[in-house]
């Protein structure tokens, strides 16, 4: 079976769900509640993509670095059309945080 053409979506999303300049332009983001975001892929993938991400203090170098190694994010639901992102603190509480992500998968030719 031949591989479908590859498709990549990447970005840095601020805690308020705004998208940082330099991100790809093929997605939108909305926040349904503090610390919960939906990334909408446009156009969608043909199947759920592989996706990775991390919390970050994008474009804010130097001290203080407030994140704990226990802070994190998860993608509890990923479909061809969207991904749900939850960001949280070291107490496992949803907290709005800036994060970066890369999603890669196949798209229709």
């Amino acid at each position: 079976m031949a591989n479908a053409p590859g498709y990549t979506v990447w970005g840095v999303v601020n805690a308020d769900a705004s998208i940082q300049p330099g991100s790809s332009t093929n997605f939108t983001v909305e926040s349904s509640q503090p610390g919960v975001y939906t990334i909408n892929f446009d156009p969608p993938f043909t199947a759920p993509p592989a996706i990775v991400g991390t919390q970050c203090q994008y474009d804010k170098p130097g001290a203080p670095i407030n994140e704990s190694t226990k802070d994190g994010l998860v993608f509890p639901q990923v479909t061809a059309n969207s991904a749900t992102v939850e960001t949280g603190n070291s107490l496992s509480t949803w907290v709005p945080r800036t994060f970066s992500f890369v999603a890669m998968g196949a798209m229709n030719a």
Side-chain angles (χ1 to χ4, degrees):
M1 180 173 143
N3 287 333
Y7 176 44
T8 304
V9 180
W10 71 91
V12 177
V13 178
N14 294 316
D16 67 0
S18 61
I19 298 170
Q20 284 280 342
S23 299
S24 65
T25 59
N26 47 358
F27 74 98
T28 59
V29 179
E30 54 194 51
S31 180
S32 59
Q33 57 186 310
V36 180
Y37 306 86
T38 301
I39 301 170
N40 297 295
F41 307 122
D42 184 22
F45 291 89
T46 57
I51 188 168
V52 296
T54 189
Q55 288 187 25
C56 60
Q57 287 189 359
Y58 182 78
D59 201 28
K60 295 180 183 173
I65 296 176
N66 297 320
E67 281 87 354
S68 163
T69 57
K70 294 180 182 178
D71 294 350
L73 65 82
V74 294
F75 299 98
Q77 184 175 23
V78 179
T79 70
N81 295 308
S82 65
T84 301
V85 183
E86 296 175 350
T87 60
N89 63 17
S90 61
L91 302 175
S92 299
T93 303
W94 290 339
V95 178
R97 296 283 174 87
T98 298
F99 65 92
S100 60
F101 75 96
V102 176
M104 297 179 75
M107 68 176 296
N108 291 324

